[in-house]
């Protein structure tokens, strides 16, 4: 389990580790125009790989998939650190993403292989804490390593951790019996891959490379619908479907997927823009913002561990009702922040948000595993992880849309007409603030309006926090209706007999 925890940690923090020093890497490799693809390539490949790895681990065992994921991570990390241009680095980030997309569902599903249903919650609590730590400390680690050594070492740091994980698991990892004459659903994998690629690119590029309402958007939506129809049709006749249609009959899995989609939106949107808020409104460096974000990580750790330890006594509902309420309180407090807000208030707000987020994830994953067939553990676990990952991708886009929609009106109301006409009407206006603060010649005319621009930005981000809080609060409805029957030994035997 220590080896699995290490693998989970590097898979999580590598998705965010370039956040702090990404602009410096792009500038050094003379590829600033491709900067966003350093993060996008990783997330795309990770998300697409999650359901594929989950199913294949059910068919061929967790161990070979786990070791393959670690191997890809090592190769991608070493070559990424040696990159001499941006296209090379982006390809390596994609390889890392494939490795991460294998490690996350396999590590999560392995808990069900090692532990009985009554013990899984405790370990999933630890896993949830590691997920929070990994996602939260990535930017901090990246910023620190970049300052102490160079950006190349933010990739090399993965290698000793991955090797340690291999040494800890290569002999002890159980090798379950593998059924003969298994048939990989190649057609289903291809259809699912293209469909997810289309959906994720639409979310990532919409509003940036093309307008949300445009011919390109219409084509991408139409392609997604056609691919979804073909995928469902294929899965109904596949011998070993990559995502079995009967999962939709499992109420716990369906409700968990709905829950984690909204969870992913709120978590990633809030984490992304809380750091941005701290940098521009509080005047922190990226490294300082990463340090203060540890308050959110601490909150996630506390309730993730606590919920895992107590859920067998309390049941699932209290945590799935308390979590959204704590998230709403934290995000509501964040929605009141402005230029005069103290760092202490900011830390208290994100700590409450962390407490709420930590109350839910491990509880949901335990519920999914305790309601799944043993031979489908990887598939059901990865299906929920997939929805969470898509939700996280949507979170940044949704928060960005809200901020862009609000900031235009804010700038118009706070700036003179002639100044308003000269500045970008989105978060690009912050480049002007940075130029004024750096004393760049030619920007002197904007100096008197810096506070007004920052106020407009703060108000727009505040609105996104408030809407995100309301969205997460809606999860209380699912929490109230949530119900899971922990299967007995007889239930598990019946599941196996039925499948045979």
């Amino acid at each position: 389990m220590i080896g699995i925890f290490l693998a989970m940690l590097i898979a999580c923090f590598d998705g965010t580790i370039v956040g702090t020093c990404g602009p410096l890497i792009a500038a050094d490799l003379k590829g600033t125009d491709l900067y966003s693809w350093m993060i996008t390539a990783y997330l795309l490949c990770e998300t697409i790989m999650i359901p594929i790895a989950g199913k294949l681990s059910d068919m061929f065992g967790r161990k070979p998939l786990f070791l393959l994921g670690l191997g890809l991570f090592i190769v991608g990390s070493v070559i990424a650190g040696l990159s001499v241009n941006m296209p090379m680095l982006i390809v390596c980030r994609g390889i890392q993403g494939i490795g991460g997309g294998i490690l996350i569902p396999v590590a999560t599903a392995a808990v069900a292989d090692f532990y009985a249903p009554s013990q899984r919650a405790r370990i999933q609590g630890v896993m949830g804490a590691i997920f929070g730590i990994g996602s939260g400390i990535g930017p901090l680690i990246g910023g620190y390593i970049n300052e102490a050594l160079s950006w190349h070492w933010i990739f090399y740091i993965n290698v000793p951790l991955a090797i340690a994980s291999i040494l800890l698991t290569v002999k002890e990892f159980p090798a379950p019996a593998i059924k003969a004459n298994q048939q990989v659903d190649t057609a289903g994998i291809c259809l699912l891959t293209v469909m997810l690629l289309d959906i994720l690119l639409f979310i990532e590029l919409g509003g940036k490379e093309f307008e949300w309402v445009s011919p390109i958007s219409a084509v991408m939506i139409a392609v997604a619908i056609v691919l979804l129809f073909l995928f469902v049709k294929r899965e109904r006749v596949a011998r070993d479907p990559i995502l079995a249609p009967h999962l939709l009959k499992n109420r716990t899995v369906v409700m968990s997927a709905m829950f984690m989609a909204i969870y992913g939106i709120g978590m990633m949107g809030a984490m992304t823009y809380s750091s941005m808020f701290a940098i521009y409104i509080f005047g922190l460096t990226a490294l300082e913002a990463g340090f203060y974000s540890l308050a959110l990580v601490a909150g996630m750790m506390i309730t993730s561990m606590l919920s895992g330890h107590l859920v067998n006594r309390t049941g699932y509902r209290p945590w799935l009702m308390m979590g959204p309420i704590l998230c709403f309180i934290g995000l509501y407090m964040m929605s009141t922040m402005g230029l005069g807000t103290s760092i202490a208030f900011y830390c208290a707000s994100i700590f409450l948000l962390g407490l709420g987020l930590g109350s839910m994830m491990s509880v949901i994953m335990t519920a999914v595993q305790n309601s799944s067939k043993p031979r489908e553990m990887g598939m059901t676990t990865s299906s929920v992880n997939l929805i969470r990952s898509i939700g996280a991708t949507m979170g940044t886009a949704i928060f960005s849309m809200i901020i862009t929609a609000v900031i235009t009106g804010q700038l118009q109301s706070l700036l003179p007409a002639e100044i308003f006409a000269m500045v970008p009407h989105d978060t690009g206006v912050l480049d002007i603030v940075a130029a004024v603060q750096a004393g760049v010649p030619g920007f002197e005319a904007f100096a008197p309006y810096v506070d007004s621009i920052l106020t407009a930005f703060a108000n727009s981000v505040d609105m996104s926090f408030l809407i995100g809080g309301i969205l997460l609060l809606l999860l209380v409805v699912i929490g109230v209706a949530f119900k899971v029957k922990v299967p007995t030994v007889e239930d598990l035997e019946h599941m196996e007999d039925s499948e045979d």
Side-chain angles (χ1 to χ4, degrees):
M1 284 309 303
I2 294 173
I4 289 174
F5 289 156
L6 275 176
M8 186 78 169
L9 183 65
I10 60 175
C12 289
F13 77 59
D14 227 67
T16 57
I17 199 168
V18 299
T20 304
C21 50
L24 298 175
I25 298 174
D28 188 46
L29 294 178
K30 298 178 175 58
T32 304
D33 56 323
L34 298 174
Y35 160 65
S36 64
W37 283 98
M38 277 193 294
I39 300 172
T40 301
Y42 184 94
L43 295 178
L44 281 175
C45 293
E46 179 188 65
T47 303
I48 290 170
M49 200 64 206
I50 283 173
I52 298 172
K55 177 61 180 181
L56 293 181
S57 73
D58 283 337
M59 298 175 68
F60 304 110
R62 317 273 184 238
K63 183 176 179 177
L65 268 294
F66 185 80
L67 296 177
L68 174 62
L70 283 172
L72 288 171
F73 225 99
I74 291 173
V75 171
S77 297
V78 170
I79 302 177
L82 298 172
S83 296
V84 295
N85 54 54
M86 280 295 285
M88 179 178 176
L89 178 60
I90 290 168
V91 170
C92 293
R93 289 288 288 165
I95 295 172
Q96 286 183 308
I98 294 173
I102 294 173
L103 292 176
I104 289 175
V106 173
T108 308
V111 173
D113 297 337
F114 297 160
Y115 297 93
S118 60
Q119 298 176 310
R120 290 171 188 163
R122 178 170 54 87
I123 304 302
Q124 286 294 356
V126 178
M127 193 78 78
I130 289 173
F131 177 84
I133 293 170
S135 300
I137 67 172
L140 182 61
I141 292 175
Y144 179 79
I145 292 176
N146 183 66
E147 286 190 5
L149 299 168
S150 73
W151 66 261
H152 303 274
W153 286 92
I154 70 173
F155 300 112
Y156 297 149
I157 191 66
N158 295 325
V159 177
L161 294 175
I163 291 174
S165 179
I166 290 174
L167 293 176
L168 288 166
T169 56
V170 68
K171 290 184 179 180
E172 300 297 331
F173 215 120
I178 299 174
K179 292 168 60 178
N181 302 319
Q182 296 188 103
Q183 192 174 78
V184 177
D185 182 18
T186 307
I189 290 174
C190 292
L191 287 169
L192 180 63
T193 299
V194 179
M195 180 180 70
L196 289 175
L197 184 63
D198 177 73
I199 292 171
L200 293 169
L201 286 176
F202 174 72
I203 295 170
E204 284 285 338
L205 303 180
K208 302 171 188 174
E209 301 297 326
F210 53 86
E211 296 297 325
W212 290 110
V213 181
S214 66
I216 295 177
S217 295
V219 170
M220 295 186 77
I221 292 172
V223 169
I225 292 172
V226 171
L227 288 171
L228 177 61
F229 172 78
L230 294 175
F231 177 69
V232 172
K233 186 177 180 180
R234 165 61 192 174
E235 296 307 272
R236 284 177 174 173
V237 299
R239 179 178 172 183
D240 284 308
I242 195 73
L243 286 175
H246 68 249
L247 288 180
L248 295 176
K249 298 178 182 179
N250 187 323
R251 185 185 177 199
T252 302
V253 171
V254 172
M255 294 185 74
S256 296
M258 293 167 57
F259 201 99
M260 293 309 290
I262 299 175
Y263 176 95
I265 291 172
M267 180 193 74
M268 189 54 67
M271 288 178 66
T272 299
Y273 285 99
S274 62
S275 295
M276 191 175 182
F277 191 99
I279 291 169
Y280 284 98
I281 303 303
F282 299 142
L284 304 179
T285 65
L287 192 56
E288 289 171 338
F291 175 77
Y292 284 113
S293 71
L294 292 179
L296 184 143
V297 175
M300 290 185 71
M301 285 180 60
I302 291 170
T303 47
S304 184
M305 299 282 285
L306 199 61
S307 63
H309 184 70
L310 297 177
V311 71
N312 287 333
R313 302 179 193 174
T314 62
Y316 300 91
R317 287 179 183 170
W319 300 100
L320 300 183
M321 294 169 62
M322 180 180 72
I325 293 172
L326 287 172
C327 286
F328 173 76
I329 294 172
L331 284 168
Y332 176 77
M333 290 172 63
M334 292 167 69
S335 74
T336 66
M337 297 189 303
L339 293 178
T341 302
S342 68
I343 294 292
F345 183 86
Y346 168 72
C347 289
S349 301
I350 63 174
F351 177 73
L352 281 173
L353 174 62
L355 287 176
L357 293 173
S359 298
M360 299 181 281
M361 184 172 176
S362 59
V363 172
I364 285 290
M365 296 312 301
T366 302
V368 169
Q369 292 187 338
N370 286 352
S371 65
S372 301
K373 295 180 180 180
R375 291 181 182 174
E376 295 182 346
M377 197 63 69
M379 180 174 64
T380 51
T381 302
S382 65
S383 66
V384 176
N385 271 320
L386 170 65
I387 299 300
R388 176 196 53 77
S389 186
I390 293 175
T393 305
M394 292 175 61
T396 305
I398 290 172
F399 273 58
S400 177
M401 282 192 294
I402 295 169
I403 292 167
T404 300
V406 174
I407 198 171
T408 301
Q410 288 287 320
L411 290 170
Q412 191 170 20
S413 65
L414 294 170
L415 298 176
E418 63 275 13
I419 297 296
F420 175 74
M422 296 168 63
V423 300
H425 300 161
D426 53 29
T427 53
V429 73
L430 296 174
D431 293 336
I432 292 177
V433 173
V436 171
Q437 293 173 341
V440 178
F443 288 86
E444 296 81 4
F446 300 104
Y449 306 103
V450 166
D451 283 353
S452 296
I453 293 173
L454 290 176
T455 299
F457 170 70
N459 291 343
S460 61
V461 176
D462 285 348
M463 180 58 70
S464 72
F465 288 151
L466 181 60
I467 294 175
I470 294 171
L471 185 64
L472 284 170
L473 189 60
L474 295 176
L475 290 176
V476 172
V477 177
I478 301 178
V480 170
F482 204 86
K483 185 178 180 181
V484 180
K485 178 186 177 184
V486 178
T488 63
V489 174
E490 291 76 14
D491 292 331
L492 295 175
E493 291 175 349
H494 178 67
M495 287 179 181
E496 293 295 314
D497 292 340
S498 297
E499 187 175 320
D500 292 336

